[in-house]
Amino acid sequence: MGLGTADSFAVLAGAGVTNTGPSVINGDLGTSPTPAVTGFGGAPNGTVNGSIHQADAVAAQAQADLTTAYDNAAGQGPVITLATELGGQTLTPGVYDSESGTFGITGTLTLNGQGNPDAVFIFKTATTLITAPASQVLMINGAQPCHLFWQVGSSATLDTGSAFAGNILALESIQLNSGVTVLGRLLARDASVTLINDTVTRADCAVPGSGDGRGGAGGGGETGTGEGGETGGSNGTGGGKKGGGGGGGSGRPPNVRITGVPNSGEGNGGPPGGGAPCTGRGFRAKFRIHSQVAMRKVSVYLDGKLIKRTTAKRFSVWISVVGLRVGRNTIRVVAVDRRGRRDTASQSFRRCGRAAPNPDFTG
């Protein structure tokens, strides 16, 4: 399925885009026919790392292409009918709808690409798509968010701390509560898109790589979604662990690991739970990329802002908490090797409202 000119947009609305807080949009933002865009322009408001199109010809064409893609998704089949609740399930590529006409995600929905980076998942609802707080969509074994489509018959709501993946094609509105991360696109045809301190990153497809013939292909890996869960906890993409596989050769994509993040449980399991401790001090995050191929580019982001770019496979970055928002913050790394293969991982931590005072011992 293609999105036409809507492909460049991370957020596209029909009746305006409204934001509260320091949301980050990595990709274009547009609205048509209503031109209203509020709550952006840089900290302390939202940031758009792309172009903004307000009721111009580009946004109008993107909306036309969105309508085509929406109708295309609605007509896909054969369809497998599922219960409303998707959380706790592991699904393979296919076209799915709901017996109740609506989908909900509580906990983790796992999508298994079965080693095919071109595997397509389409979820169709007659009415709504609603995620619970701290829910996540986890894509494993080659599955890519760029090939995941949510055709929503009315409106979509992603609740606080959700780590979501895929392209939402909604007939009406899309609303994100606080601390949501999306690796995909928010595309609303007729109504508005509303954000509250969220991060939306347009999902581009990684260039498929091939082995060099000297070894078997490695097993598929787990990749969390979004920036913080992506996605082991409420806001992380937790880039999980890669599967094992064939020996030798260079058929496997890179495998990114993040350690040294306080109160995160180490590894890439995602962020801490709602009651996890916080930190009032800076720390050194460590990054390690397992790959038999040299890196083309490794980028590290803190709350959507680029803080380091390198080609090294092992390095560290000092994370200062000065100036960070109180509560959950997310480190995300994107590694692309010389063959164009990509892996991402994220880790979240909580910043205290103020540094804890030193104990005063007497006697």
Side-chain angles (χ1 to χ4, degrees), residues 6-338:
D7 184 78
S8 70
F9 287 84
V11 176
L12 178 65
V17 180
T18 301
N19 170 65
T20 302
S23 294
V24 177
I25 308 301
N26 296 309
D28 293 346
L29 180 150
T31 177
S32 178
T34 302
V37 174
T38 61
F40 291 95
N45 297 314
T47 300
V48 178
N49 296 316
S51 300
I52 298 178
H53 298 277
Q54 296 175 256
D56 61 9
V58 174
Q61 183 59 56
Q63 275 289 353
D65 290 345
L66 170 57
T67 298
T68 299
Y70 179 95
D71 293 341
N72 185 7
Q76 293 292 319
V79 177
I80 302 169
T81 300
L82 303 173
T84 298
E85 179 56 57
L86 295 174
Q89 299 194 61
T90 298
L91 302 174
T92 54
V95 181
Y96 300 92
D97 68 4
S98 166
E99 60 185 4
S100 67
T102 181
F103 275 130
I105 304 175
T106 301
T108 301
L109 166 64
T110 303
L111 302 179
N112 185 347
Q114 300 181 314
N116 179 10
D118 296 321
V120 175
F121 298 81
I122 299 175
F123 292 85
K124 306 193 293 185
T125 76
T127 55
T128 60
L129 167 67
I130 301 174
T131 71
S135 63
Q136 63 173 330
V137 178
L138 184 66
M139 308 196 75
I140 67 173
N141 292 333
Q144 299 194 68
C146 62
H147 294 313
L148 170 56
F149 299 91
W150 302 86
Q151 185 258 329
V152 179
S154 59
S155 298
T157 301
L158 308 184
D159 209 345
T160 304
S162 295
F164 190 81
N167 307 293
I168 298 179
L169 285 58
L171 180 61
E172 298 177 10
S173 65
I174 302 174
Q175 177 175 334
L176 275 60
N177 291 334
S178 180
V180 175
T181 57
V182 176
L183 184 56
R185 294 170 178 82
L186 307 178
L187 309 175
R189 287 179 55 184
D190 296 338
S192 62
V193 175
T194 302
L195 307 170
I196 305 174
N197 190 21
D198 307 302
T199 301
V200 183
T201 300
R202 186 189 69 204
D204 294 323
C205 290
V207 178
S210 59
D212 60 6
R214 293 181 294 172
E222 298 180 1
T223 303
T225 67
E227 185 179 282
E230 96 259 50
T231 334
S234 62
N235 195 34
T237 60
K241 57 182 178 180
K242 295 290 178 181
S250 55
R252 286 179 287 183
N255 180 356
V256 178
R257 306 291 294 177
I258 306 174
T259 59
V261 180
N263 307 319
S264 64
E266 294 298 306
N268 292 339
C278 59
T279 181
R281 299 178 178 180
F283 58 91
R284 186 165 295 279
K286 300 177 181 179
F287 304 85
R288 184 172 183 177
I289 304 167
H290 298 276
S291 175
Q292 295 176 331
V293 178
M295 292 294 104
R296 176 187 299 170
K297 180 172 63 175
V298 181
S299 304
V300 180
Y301 301 87
L302 177 58
D303 292 336
K305 180 180 179 180
L306 180 67
I307 59 173
K308 184 176 181 65
R309 182 162 286 165
T310 183
T311 57
K313 294 181 182 179
R314 185 178 299 185
F315 59 94
S316 64
V317 177
W318 176 257
I319 304 297
S320 172
V321 301
V322 176
L324 295 183
R325 60 193 174 200
V326 175
R328 183 179 295 109
N329 295 267
T330 301
I331 302 167
R332 179 170 180 258
V333 58
V334 180
V336 182
D337 69 16
R338 289 289 179 87

